[in-house]
Amino acid sequence: MRPRPLLRRSLPFFAALFLAAPAVWASVVLPTTVEALARRADLVVRGRAERSVAAASPDGKLIHTLTTVRVASALKGEAGEVVEVRTPGGTLGDITQVVHGAPSFSAGEEVVLFLHRESATRFTVENLALGKFEIVRAQDGAPMVRQRAAGLAVLNPDGKISPAQEIAPVGEREFLQRVRRAVEAARGER
């Protein structure tokens, strides 16, 4: 009797595994807090996204998006009038590369960003989308800060992976005070 090829014998197992597993489209990061983001970030800014442009990596295998952010104020570090923020993924021509959990920007969007320095003027966002906070208006017109964690999962200390939890929306003033306190605390630890 002729043995069946390995693939044919394994097909029912892999089909059952695929059907039993939940669909997971997420990037995995470590859990974090505003205070931890403030400690790790090289630069924390409040600003407005101006424009985004996709580009290929030097080897042409990856796409990233470069967003110009006009800086209104620096909460940690020193920034010029604008910073360039590089995020993974984007659309270049007819090719789109998606990185789940990567932050994205809309022109005119007001943000608070926790950034890691790549060069004198180019930065990446700490902990993917967890390091980006949007400033939006509440129904009464008051500025609120919110975080978006869609597409992100966290690796917990017990080794289990769970969906990332967003920080509850909070008033802008309260949020900026929290960030300033965290930055001051981090300075005191040095």
Side-chain angles (χ1 to χ4, degrees):
M1 178 165 156
R2 190 169 157 221
R4 293 175 25 194
L6 179 61
L7 181 60
R8 185 177 287 160
R9 286 184 300 191
S10 303
L11 192 57
F13 169 75
F14 287 114
L17 183 65
F18 177 76
L19 293 173
V24 177
W25 297 102
S27 296
V28 179
V29 295
L30 294 175
T32 194
T33 63
V34 170
E35 290 74 17
L37 287 167
R39 276 193 305 276
R40 286 194 311 265
D42 296 319
L43 181 66
V44 181
V45 297
R46 185 197 185 289
R48 182 182 303 273
E50 291 189 334
R51 66 183 191 99
S52 298
V53 178
S57 62
D59 64 5
K61 293 181 181 180
L62 300 173
I63 297 173
H64 57 260
T65 300
L66 301 171
T67 301
T68 302
V69 176
R70 181 150 309 275
V71 176
S73 62
L75 301 154
K76 180 181 181 183
E78 293 185 26
E81 289 182 20
V82 296
V83 293
E84 187 175 59
V85 179
R86 185 178 65 81
T87 53
T91 299
L92 192 57
D94 60 350
I95 298 173
T96 296
Q97 188 173 59
V98 176
V99 177
H100 295 281
S104 61
F105 298 90
S106 300
E109 177 181 32
E110 292 182 74
V111 293
V112 175
L113 300 173
F114 294 79
L115 301 170
H116 173 74
R117 185 177 300 279
E118 280 192 343
S119 69
T121 59
R122 184 176 290 173
F123 297 83
T124 58
V125 180
E126 286 285 338
N127 248 27
L128 294 173
L130 293 182
K132 175 194 174 199
F133 293 82
E134 303 169 6
I135 300 171
V136 296
R137 303 287 170 208
Q139 287 182 346
D140 65 359
M144 300 289 291
V145 176
R146 72 176 179 199
Q147 182 184 48
R148 296 288 185 204
L152 275 175
V154 293
L155 177 62
N156 296 299
D158 63 3
K160 293 181 180 176
I161 295 175
S162 62
Q165 298 297 306
E166 297 173 352
I167 294 169
V170 63
E172 179 186 18
R173 185 176 188 174
E174 180 182 338
F175 181 80
L176 295 179
Q177 287 173 345
R178 183 175 174 190
V179 172
R180 288 183 181 104
R181 282 193 305 268
V183 169
E184 287 302 315
R187 284 190 190 126
E189 294 172 1
R190 292 181 183 167

